[in-house]
Amino acid sequence: MAKKRGTETVRDMVLSMAAIGVVVGIIWFFIPHDENHDPVQVVGYRVELDQARRSAPYPVAAPEGLGKGWRATSVTYEDTNPKAVHWHLGFVDPQNEYAAVEQSNADAEAFVASVSHDARKSGTRTVGGETWDRYEGPKYDALVRQKGGVTTMVTGTAPADRLAELAAALQERSGQ
């Protein structure tokens, strides 16, 4: 004879919870756990870089010879508007801080404000023999260089020395 609804006991509830706990424990046991796993998803960017260098109306910048520990995490090339071609290459530095190379032939002031999340100019810095404008903001800091109608930015949460390291490694090329 079936129990009448509403007559369950605390004992029934404890037994149900124990059964659920056993199932959860078994599932947890079979799921791999790797404490040394790097949560950063690394991407290759050579194909996109070659495409951008072939089609961009300006020499496209990408780092060469960055130190160990730098990992590329994102890459995009947007050329639907020939007056606002945008190259982006994102990295995580050896201390797991974000840094990115951003380039565009769009209006420099609007481009810098948009990409740096409204960082403000705070001075200059010489990197690799070239003068870059320094920007500081609530979200990102940046190094910005304007040359030949193209704005090149190195921006992110990485400290200023890491941003300078990335900027110093940039090589600009086109038409490969």
Side-chain angles (χ1 to χ4, degrees):
M1 183 168 186
K3 279 186 175 183
K4 226 175 160 186
R5 188 163 174 85
T7 61
E8 295 85 6
T9 64
V10 172
R11 179 182 172 275
D12 294 334
M13 185 175 67
V14 169
L15 289 174
S16 296
M17 293 297 287
I20 291 170
V22 168
V23 171
V24 168
I26 291 171
I27 291 171
W28 182 86
F29 181 76
F30 286 105
I31 293 176
H33 303 285
D34 184 3
E35 286 84 30
N36 297 324
H37 174 70
D38 186 358
V40 175
Q41 182 175 355
V42 177
V43 300
Y45 61 90
R46 180 57 53 190
V47 171
E48 291 86 351
L49 176 60
D50 290 343
Q51 173 196 353
R53 285 182 167 166
R54 279 192 304 273
S55 62
Y58 52 81
V60 173
E64 291 183 13
L66 269 180
K68 188 176 173 134
W70 286 86
R71 297 161 315 224
T73 58
S74 59
V75 59
T76 57
Y77 175 68
E78 177 62 48
D79 64 352
T80 54
N81 179 352
K83 294 184 189 233
V85 174
H86 185 183
W87 165 248
H88 160 86
L89 182 56
F91 289 90
V92 171
D93 78 358
Q95 280 75 42
N96 291 323
E97 292 290 340
Y98 177 70
V101 177
E102 307 279 356
Q103 270 188 305
S104 183
N105 60 341
D107 174 71
E109 190 174 318
F111 177 68
V112 171
S114 171
V115 174
S116 71
H117 298 276
D118 296 318
R120 301 284 178 227
K121 189 173 178 180
S122 63
T124 60
R125 179 171 181 161
T126 302
V127 177
E130 294 193 41
T131 301
W132 293 69
D133 293 326
R134 286 182 330 152
Y135 282 72
E136 293 179 1
K139 184 168 183 172
Y140 293 149
D141 292 340
L143 294 172
V144 178
R145 184 188 68 207
Q146 296 178 40
K147 185 163 75 173
V150 177
T151 304
T152 303
M153 252 177 97
V154 176
T155 186
T157 60
D161 288 343
R162 287 291 183 184
L163 295 178
E165 181 182 347
L166 180 55
L170 293 180
Q171 299 294 315
E172 294 180 336
R173 294 198 185 99
S174 58
Q176 290 190 345

